[in-house]
Amino acid sequence: MSHIRHSITRRLDHFLFESASPHTCVVLRIAFATLLLVYLGVWSADAAYWFSDEGVLTTATAGQLVPAPLWSLFNWVPATPAVVTIALAILILQSVCLLAGLASRFQAACLFVGLVSFQNRNPVIGDAEDTMLRIAIFCLIFMPLDYRWSLGRWMAGRPAYDASLARSRAWGLRLLQFHLSLLYLSAAACKWFGSTWRDGSALYYVYQMEDLFGRGPLPMWLMQEELAIRLSTWAVLAVESLLPVALWFRPTRTLAVAAGIALHLSLEYAMHLHLFQWIMMASLLAFLPSGIGFQPVKKTTSTHNLHQGFRNRHTALDPELLSQTRRRPAVLVHVLD
């Protein structure tokens, strides 16, 4: 029994702390830093109006709109237009540093605190887009963001990260993957409880939401024909139901990422949801197969030999290696890695 527990623990450690790709973390750093610049740029146009005490909502009034006090730096710092403007300028500067790879984890931590402060300062204007971006930036804090393409490491003349060390520090990538999977699972579960999604009529009602729908032109038959509406509704339901599982298995991962991106691109084309679809597509990059655009990381000898035994039927395995394969759920881990 002890060796089974040890095997499970070892494989779990491998999954969380040895198999995550640090290259993917770098891609996420660039993607989310770019989105942050757009996000903060939109805020900057009317920052004083939305976040200062001279705007639509004072700090005292904002505290009365929620059942419990929300943490924000503006609870201690006066929310004057000048302070709000300076704070936003600092966040924009830190987003540029994150994009360039200058002390990226520090920048991510500061950006998370800044986002929480601004979003809690005026909770009335926030939605799922703000929450998803905030959680994604929180996950970045625990990733080796400067593993590659880092201006900071280049300026300091530091050598590249050791690959095995970078992998052990990439567990934040798993955190983002878990969060995204639970998000799709929750969305699918809520839809399955709705009768209009089960009978295929949900998108008909979405088409009537003129304030959100109608960004790009669509053929009239797609919005009026009953069969087209039902098939479109069930397609959305099918994709969101399959993604939480398909994203985790190597044989279906690439197709799942492509299906998810296609879903969000179609929503981006048809609906006015600002950056939400782009944040979701950036999050899906966390599941990018390591073989696409990334250099493979050298494995340890024992793991390499074990995997080779499953890949090559003609490889002679010694009795000790065979005993290891019986004790470890290696096939499943190989599919998940």
Side-chain angles (χ1 to χ4, degrees):
M1 194 67 182
S2 61
H3 74 272
I4 296 178
R5 184 172 62 253
H6 175 75
S7 176
I8 294 174
T9 302
R10 176 67 189 93
R11 299 316 302 183
L12 183 61
D13 286 343
H14 171 78
F15 177 70
L16 292 175
F17 304 111
E18 297 177 19
S19 61
S21 171
H23 298 85
T24 307
C25 300
V26 176
V27 173
L28 291 174
R29 184 199 87 206
I30 296 172
F32 280 111
T34 303
L35 290 174
L36 272 171
L37 288 172
V38 178
Y39 181 84
L40 296 173
V42 172
W43 272 4
S44 64
D46 301 295
Y49 180 79
W50 292 114
F51 300 109
S52 77
D53 286 335
E54 297 181 14
V56 296
L57 197 66
T58 65
T59 304
T61 304
Q64 298 175 5
L65 298 178
V66 291
L70 296 177
W71 186 92
S72 173
L73 289 176
F74 293 109
N75 293 339
W76 297 278
V77 178
T80 63
V83 170
V84 168
T85 301
I86 293 173
L88 195 58
I90 292 174
L91 291 183
I92 292 174
L93 178 60
Q94 290 185 307
S95 298
V96 173
C97 292
L98 180 64
L99 179 64
L102 289 167
S104 298
R105 295 179 65 187
F106 172 77
Q107 310 300 344
C110 294
L111 284 164
F112 173 74
V113 173
L115 287 177
V116 171
S117 298
F118 271 95
Q119 292 173 0
N120 287 347
R121 168 62 184 81
N122 189 343
V124 178
I125 62 174
D127 54 23
E129 167 192 311
D130 305 271
T131 303
M132 185 62 196
L133 182 60
R134 183 175 69 245
I135 293 174
I137 298 303
F138 175 79
C139 294
L140 290 184
I141 299 173
F142 307 101
M143 300 183 195
L145 302 178
D146 292 338
Y147 177 66
R148 288 287 187 273
W149 305 331
S150 168
L151 181 61
R153 296 187 70 83
W154 177 78
M155 291 175 61
R158 299 176 185 173
Y161 263 111
D162 176 76
S164 59
L165 177 62
R167 278 181 173 263
S168 69
R169 294 178 176 177
W171 65 271
L173 180 63
R174 296 297 189 206
L175 190 63
L176 180 59
Q177 291 173 337
F178 286 137
H179 169 71
L180 190 62
S181 299
L182 291 174
L183 189 151
Y184 282 121
L185 183 63
S186 175
C190 290
K191 287 180 173 62
W192 278 109
F193 281 113
S195 59
T196 57
W197 284 98
R198 295 197 304 270
D199 64 27
S201 63
L203 286 189
Y204 170 78
Y205 301 101
V206 175
Y207 297 154
Q208 315 311 314
M209 301 169 62
E210 296 181 356
D211 57 332
L212 293 177
F213 189 82
R215 181 177 184 180
L218 290 173
M220 294 303 298
W221 63 265
L222 187 62
M223 297 182 288
Q224 295 179 352
E225 290 291 335
E226 180 181 352
L227 180 59
I229 293 173
R230 293 188 187 277
L231 290 178
S232 300
T233 301
W234 290 331
V236 173
L237 185 58
V239 171
E240 290 191 352
S241 300
L242 292 173
L243 282 180
V245 177
L247 285 170
W248 286 99
F249 290 90
R250 185 180 297 177
T252 59
R253 188 175 301 155
T254 301
L255 182 60
V257 171
I261 290 177
L263 171 65
H264 291 294
L265 280 176
S266 64
L267 294 174
E268 171 66 17
Y269 174 80
M271 302 186 72
H272 301 277
L273 295 175
H274 192 38
L275 289 178
F276 180 74
Q277 308 304 333
W278 294 102
I279 294 171
M280 293 300 295
M281 286 187 282
S283 300
L284 280 169
L285 297 180
F287 286 96
L288 274 178
S290 58
I292 298 181
F294 300 140
Q295 300 174 355
V297 179
K298 185 178 180 180
K299 301 180 179 180
T300 59
T301 304
S302 59
T303 306
H304 175 73
N305 290 340
L306 183 60
H307 287 181
Q308 282 297 108
F310 284 97
R311 292 173 184 169
N312 187 354
R313 297 179 180 177
H314 304 289
T315 301
L317 299 177
D318 58 47
E320 177 60 22
L321 187 55
L322 285 173
S323 66
Q324 292 178 18
T325 62
R326 296 190 186 102
R327 294 197 302 265
R328 299 179 181 179
V331 175
L332 178 60
V333 174
H334 171 68
V335 173
L336 290 173
D337 282 355

